[in-house]
Amino acid sequence: MRVWAASLALAPLLGACGDADEPAVAETTEAPDPMASASERAAEEFGQRMPQPVDPWPDSIRGDYRLAGIDGEPFDQPFGVAIHIGQDRIEFENCQQVTWRYRYDPPALITERTPAITIDINPKPLPCAATFPPPLADMVRAIDSATQAEKTPENGLRLSGGGHSVLLFSQ
């Protein structure tokens, strides 16, 4: 009698193992599985706390940013570059007075260089003749050719197109 009672007690546990030929039945309860290992429970809990993915196509790209990368490489220079994206302009501090007008219709981005005389500074200084150092020249080329703006999983803003890109993070 004891053997029969013990086999009845083990039947639910043995049935849970199932036969290799039988299809698995999905669990429909919300309660945590008491038989799950601590690592399985931690992984499930971690999955529930993961942030939702960011919207890849933001409604607006306006903001103040720092340059974090150019063409997929980190911007690792002894100086920083602050970029301001306003209602219809992209600007950064430079004596060459390079700025862009832009139109953004998610995810499409159209940038167009503006002449130096359109900068909103009174009185308007003459642009300097200095050339951009290579990393800034690469940044300018990437913004010139940008055709798309998207959020990255790290919550950055990537402007890309024509085989070039810049990665920006909010300041």
Side-chain angles (χ1 to χ4, degrees):
M1 186 75 160
R2 270 192 178 167
V3 172
W4 184 72
S7 65
L8 280 178
L10 292 175
L13 295 176
L14 294 174
C17 295
D19 211 355
D21 296 331
E22 293 178 20
V25 178
E27 191 73 33
T28 58
T29 62
E30 294 286 326
D33 181 3
M35 299 301 288
S37 70
S39 62
E40 289 172 329
R41 285 193 301 271
E44 182 177 320
E45 195 175 297
F46 178 73
Q48 292 172 356
R49 290 184 306 199
M50 286 293 293
Q52 294 299 316
V54 295
D55 181 5
W57 317 119
D59 292 333
S60 172
I61 59 173
R62 293 182 202 173
D64 291 307
Y65 299 92
R66 68 174 172 81
L67 179 62
I70 303 170
D71 293 337
E73 297 295 322
F75 181 72
D76 188 21
Q77 298 296 316
F79 58 91
V81 178
I83 296 177
H84 173 75
I85 301 180
Q87 180 175 347
D88 63 349
R89 294 167 58 109
I90 300 173
E91 303 171 306
F92 72 105
E93 191 172 318
N94 65 90
C95 72
Q96 294 86 347
Q97 298 181 4
V98 171
T99 66
W100 297 265
R101 289 210 179 276
Y102 78 92
R103 287 190 313 268
Y104 178 60
D105 184 17
L109 176 70
I110 299 170
T111 61
E112 175 184 32
R113 284 244 201 131
T114 60
I117 59 171
T118 64
I119 290 183
D120 302 327
I121 301 172
N122 284 321
K124 293 176 180 28
L126 293 174
C128 68
T131 60
F132 287 116
L136 289 184
D138 293 342
M139 178 199 77
V140 168
R141 182 179 53 244
I143 295 175
D144 280 342
S145 62
T147 59
Q148 179 173 308
E150 64 182 326
K151 287 283 187 184
T152 66
E154 300 82 19
N155 208 25
L157 177 66
R158 180 180 297 119
L159 308 180
S160 61
H164 299 287
S165 67
V166 292
L167 177 61
L168 310 172
F169 282 105
S170 291
Q171 298 214 86

